[in-house]
Amino acid sequence: ADEKRREQQCAMLGARIVLAAMAAEAAMAFNCMSPATAFRSLSRVHSHPAPRSARLGLLRMAGGSPMAAADEKRREGSADKFALLFDCDGVIVLTEELHRLAYNGAFQDYSAEINGQPVNWSVEYYDVLQNTVGGGKPKMKWHFNNNGWPTSKLGGVPSSEDDQNRLIDELQDKKTEIYKKIVNEVAEARPGVLSLMDEAIKTPGIAVGICSAATKAGFEQVVNSVVGTERLSKLDVVIAGDDVPRKKPDPIIYQLASERIGVPPSRCIVVEDSLVGLRAAKGAGMKCIITYTESTKDQDFYGEGADAVVADLSQVNLDTIFEPLMRGEDSLLEGIKEARK
């Protein structure tokens, strides 16, 4: 009996040592409480056993990184959580023509010419371009790589990669400067998008975010003007094109959003307006609602995996999006979405 008691005491001591080490490590990592306070908190948890998944999370902390364990716990805690992620350009506000005018203004300011002809993107050409390449700098690089690099006020045709990048950077800066002025004058939200965003923000269990391929300067101008700083402060995640190494259609921006908010991709709903954005969402393993624009309305969204296609969000609410998912169904916006063509 004495031997058994000693074994039990050793086991209890070992458990306390592990908990104390966890508390000290967590306190140092998070800088939020003293080791003693953390230990008392963990001891209270230990005296009231949690479900198996939560206990496993604590045990993982004993042998791994506190941050990794926190991420694991956050993911486990989000099993019943959903997310609604909005693209910006074309979804929150119709910006295609504003971007095109700003690019052409930058080309004109820099006297950009290819074979003696001014660089100018027509409406028809820009419709193709924006549905082929995501992000401003990649668009220009794609255009120049396929049509020739221009002369400009910086000099002749740039021959080195450094010179090409310098031209692209300066054109993008000028484009952003012009774009900001245009946005302040004419930009407004598309029907239904802000009311849907507000409804989601107010609903517990739904994370809300914006994920845009646009560069941060131009993106911030749009969201500050149209979405508003107060609404932005309530979002769970905001990611611009500068925050990721690759632009849409690469799925990394949505993968990063899923990681930051702790909601698995299968429970994330993306709202996009183009094939580029749709491919990014589906590549991340997420469902996608398309609110098409005049320039994208004839594209085969269903053929590339869209879960619903609508003209705008004026008839869409959280119930039509999430209730079917909560019932274990795959369909979205039944009775609202357009039929396959």
Side-chain angles (χ1 to χ4, degrees):
D2 291 339
E3 183 65 27
K4 189 171 185 65
R5 275 197 302 273
R6 280 196 294 272
E7 289 178 356
Q8 291 174 339
Q9 288 170 349
C10 287
M12 291 177 63
L13 178 60
R16 291 193 178 191
I17 291 172
V18 170
L19 286 170
M22 291 161 51
E25 189 177 7
M28 288 186 291
F30 297 111
N31 194 27
C32 59
M33 62 178 69
S34 70
T37 303
F39 175 72
R40 285 194 296 270
S41 298
L42 288 169
S43 297
R44 285 194 296 271
V45 172
H46 186 69
S47 65
H48 297 84
R52 180 174 180 273
S53 61
R55 296 201 302 274
L56 286 174
L58 286 176
L59 289 173
R60 290 188 189 101
M61 288 183 69
S65 161
M67 291 300 291
D71 287 341
E72 179 67 24
K73 184 178 179 183
R74 176 164 49 82
R75 284 191 293 270
E76 289 173 348
S78 64
D80 58 350
K81 190 175 182 181
F82 290 92
L84 185 60
L85 304 174
F86 297 85
D87 177 35
C88 182
D89 293 335
V91 171
I92 295 176
V93 58
L94 291 176
T95 54
E96 296 102 326
E97 182 62 7
L98 310 187
H99 281 293
R100 188 185 73 86
L101 293 173
Y103 279 119
N104 285 340
F107 298 149
Q108 183 177 5
D109 185 82
Y110 270 72
S111 302
E113 295 184 353
I114 298 176
N115 298 324
Q117 296 298 315
V119 178
N120 186 280
W121 290 346
S122 67
V123 172
E124 295 76 17
Y125 178 74
Y126 191 70
D127 283 348
V128 174
L129 186 61
Q130 70 171 340
N131 289 296
T132 304
V133 186
K137 293 181 182 180
K139 280 184 175 67
M140 287 189 283
K141 286 184 177 180
W142 188 92
H143 175 79
F144 295 146
N145 283 332
N146 285 277
N147 296 279
W149 284 80
T151 59
S152 70
K153 69 181 184 181
L154 296 182
V157 175
S159 56
S160 70
E161 185 175 354
D162 286 344
D163 289 340
Q164 291 174 353
N165 287 336
R166 179 193 172 196
L167 175 60
I168 291 293
D169 288 343
E170 293 201 18
L171 285 172
Q172 184 66 39
D173 288 344
K174 175 54 69 172
K175 179 261 177 181
T176 299
E177 178 186 327
I178 297 171
Y179 180 70
K180 286 180 177 180
K181 295 178 181 178
I182 298 174
V183 166
N184 280 336
E185 295 173 1
V186 301
E188 60 181 20
R190 290 191 67 184
V193 64
L194 295 183
S195 59
L196 180 62
M197 191 179 292
D198 288 339
E199 186 183 4
I201 288 171
K202 295 175 183 177
T203 303
I206 297 181
V208 190
I210 300 175
C211 300
S212 172
T215 55
K216 188 167 293 185
F219 165 73
E220 287 178 347
Q221 186 68 33
V222 171
V223 294
N224 286 339
S225 298
V226 178
V227 178
T229 55
E230 181 180 354
R231 187 181 283 110
L232 281 172
S233 68
K234 300 174 183 177
L235 299 182
D236 297 281
V237 64
V238 177
I239 305 176
D242 309 62
D243 298 322
V244 290
R246 298 179 299 278
K247 305 287 189 180
K248 300 174 186 178
D250 192 286
I252 190 170
I253 191 167
Y254 288 122
Q255 292 167 340
L256 179 60
S258 171
E259 180 182 333
R260 286 187 178 178
I261 59 180
V263 178
S266 61
R267 287 178 168 265
C268 295
I269 310 296
V270 173
V271 184
E272 278 282 359
D273 70 299
S274 68
L275 284 177
V276 170
L278 171 62
R279 289 164 183 160
K282 302 309 288 187
M286 300 178 180
K287 294 185 181 298
C288 186
I289 298 169
I290 292 291
T291 59
Y292 56 79
T293 66
E294 184 63 25
S295 65
T296 67
K297 64 181 181 180
D298 295 323
Q299 294 176 352
D300 185 15
F301 294 114
Y302 284 127
E304 295 226 14
D307 296 277
V309 177
V310 292
D312 57 48
L313 297 174
S314 59
Q315 302 300 314
V316 177
N317 58 44
L318 291 187
D319 288 344
T320 57
I321 297 175
F322 291 106
E323 275 197 357
L325 301 182
M326 292 176 182
R327 294 194 299 266
E329 301 172 5
D330 287 333
S331 60
L332 299 178
L333 308 188
E334 289 298 331
I336 297 175
K337 65 184 179 183
E338 296 185 2
R340 293 175 180 268
K341 296 181 180 179

